[in-house]
Amino acid sequence: MDYMSTEIRSAREAMTIFKILGIKDITTERQRKNGTQVFELPIHKMYGPSNKHPLRFATYKSGYVRNVTECNASPYQCNKRIDSEPEYFKSSKVDSMGRPLYTQFTTRTCELIPGWEERLIYLAKFIIKNYYQKPTYQISDYTMDTMKSQYKQANDLRNQSDNLPFGEDIQVIINGHRYNLS
């Protein structure tokens, strides 16, 4: 049996993977002109029964790869995070010999991916690792419709006035005595 490599090595392989997984390129002409490419996954992110959004990712000419799903407060970076070079700032303190003390300051930044092909390969690997190798919870339309109707029914029951669901008058017999509850 021959071993088949699962490593994605080219943009063509990444686009083939996208086609197999049902990932669509939804880039507008303006975005394409600016060097941006947007992809939509067939997986939806759920925020309640009537609030689902398809997962979307974008690659930018600047080197960023971002999750741009509509329900996010803002797009977030998918690029690898790296520590920046440390910067030193002179503090107002001195050591015992009178020499000034310095404070070291480092930040974390995104590792930019310069080439279009490298960004596409990175995005394909990122999507497979985070959305296709872990259990994802895809919900069928039937399940969604059922959840919506249950949500609506619960909401209607919660919003109705103090009416009882089985009528206005209730008769209860306790120890042979009849009581009317209304």
Side-chain angles (χ1 to χ4, degrees):
M1 181 172 178
D2 292 330
Y3 171 74
M4 179 186 244
S5 175
T6 55
E7 183 70 22
I8 301 169
R9 295 190 183 106
S10 69
R12 184 178 183 151
E13 290 177 4
M15 293 303 279
T16 303
I17 295 287
F18 287 172
K19 188 173 183 178
I20 291 168
L21 296 176
I23 299 171
K24 296 183 280 186
D25 183 348
I26 58 165
T27 309
T28 64
E29 278 305 310
R30 183 176 185 160
Q31 289 170 329
R32 195 174 316 283
K33 187 176 157 187
N34 291 333
T36 301
Q37 201 167 8
V38 182
F39 297 94
E40 184 176 273
L41 277 65
I43 300 171
H44 290 80
K45 192 160 192 151
M46 300 285 300
Y47 289 102
S50 61
N51 194 2
K52 68 178 185 174
H53 299 280
L55 290 172
R56 291 184 179 159
F57 293 89
T59 63
Y60 297 87
K61 189 162 73 172
S62 61
Y64 287 103
V65 177
R66 294 183 174 138
N67 180 333
V68 292
T69 304
E70 291 174 18
C71 58
N72 293 340
S74 65
Y76 65 84
Q77 320 305 338
C78 298
N79 298 56
K80 289 182 182 176
R81 305 288 287 171
I82 56 173
D83 288 329
S84 67
E85 290 295 320
E87 294 180 38
Y88 297 93
F89 297 98
K90 192 174 183 178
S91 74
S92 58
K93 299 178 182 175
V94 293
D95 66 4
S96 61
M97 299 181 74
R99 294 179 295 198
L101 295 176
Y102 289 86
T103 302
Q104 179 181 344
F105 181 74
T106 58
T107 60
R108 292 182 52 83
T109 185
C110 289
E111 182 178 329
L112 298 180
I113 306 167
W116 170 79
E117 188 168 19
E118 290 83 17
R119 285 192 301 274
L120 206 57
I121 292 168
Y122 180 82
L123 178 61
K125 289 178 180 179
F126 181 85
I127 289 172
I128 289 170
K129 176 184 170 195
N130 292 292
Y131 296 96
Y132 286 93
Q133 288 184 347
K134 296 178 180 178
T136 54
Y137 303 99
Q138 296 185 26
I139 297 177
S140 68
D141 289 336
Y142 171 77
T143 306
M144 277 301 298
D145 292 341
T146 305
M147 286 174 59
K148 284 180 185 177
S149 68
Q150 291 294 318
Y151 178 77
K152 185 179 182 321
Q153 184 180 3
N155 223 10
D156 291 346
L157 286 173
R158 202 175 307 121
N159 291 334
Q160 75 181 10
S161 61
D162 292 334
N163 296 337
L164 299 171
F166 37 80
E168 293 293 326
D169 294 327
I170 302 173
Q171 293 182 352
V172 179
I173 299 174
I174 302 175
N175 293 336
H177 296 285
R178 181 176 298 194
Y179 297 96
N180 289 327
L181 305 175
S182 45

